[in-house]
Amino acid sequence: QVHLVESGGGSVEAGGSLRLSCAVSPSLPSTYGMGWFRQTPGKEREGVAAIDPDGKITYVDSVKGRFTITQDNAKITLYLQMNSLKSEDTAMYYCAATEERVECSRNYCLRPSVGYWGQGTQVTVSS
């Protein structure tokens, strides 16, 4: 059984930074890509960043230049560095792992239909 556990969320003022982590256990095969998604009450879960099995990274435009997705070499931890946070970034953030294609475009990330999800970590940005 694969477990993804997010951490690093919290409350921060607008303009501040947070670094989210997603611990993967056990480690996944190299065929898996991963991504960060977020969700606010009453809205669908939306993707913000993705890294495919070859290391290709993509973002939605709303976070480009502010968020950075990285992964350690062993692919057991996924990170999301979030800078210049805005109130609209407030959401529950989830990491996901899948063997399906992972990619973000201007305002949309492919959402896996089969894969693994963490339980989420809350990010609250006050203006």
Side-chain angles (χ1 to χ4, degrees):
Q1 183 71 19
V2 175
H3 294 281
L4 277 62
V5 180
E6 302 93 338
S7 61
S11 297
V12 64
E13 292 186 353
S17 298
L18 285 172
R19 189 192 196 202
L20 306 183
S21 298
C22 172
V24 183
S25 178
S27 60
L28 293 167
S30 60
T31 52
Y32 276 76
M34 297 193 70
W36 285 99
F37 293 75
R38 64 187 181 187
Q39 188 172 22
T40 55
K43 293 189 176 182
E44 289 193 3
R45 194 170 295 186
E46 62 176 11
V48 297
I51 182 166
D52 78 3
D54 295 324
K56 178 184 176 183
I57 291 172
T58 52
Y59 302 94
V60 292
D61 282 358
S62 61
V63 306
K64 196 175 292 184
R66 300 189 299 121
F67 290 11
T68 303
I69 185 172
T70 56
Q71 192 173 43
D72 69 328
N73 289 337
K75 296 189 176 182
I76 58 174
T77 308
L78 183 74
Y79 302 97
L80 186 68
Q81 178 67 43
M82 305 186 297
N83 299 328
S84 302
L85 281 162
K86 306 176 180 179
S87 57
E88 51 262 44
D89 296 318
T90 295
M92 184 72 78
Y93 282 73
Y94 301 87
C95 63
T98 181
E99 287 191 292
E100 299 176 351
R101 181 182 170 195
V102 292
E103 188 174 6
C104 300
S105 60
R106 289 187 60 187
N107 56 7
Y108 178 77
C109 295
L110 293 173
R111 180 176 170 178
S113 59
V114 177
Y116 303 98
W117 292 88
Q119 293 300 306
T121 185
Q122 177 67 37
V123 171
T124 303
V125 184
S126 57
S127 57

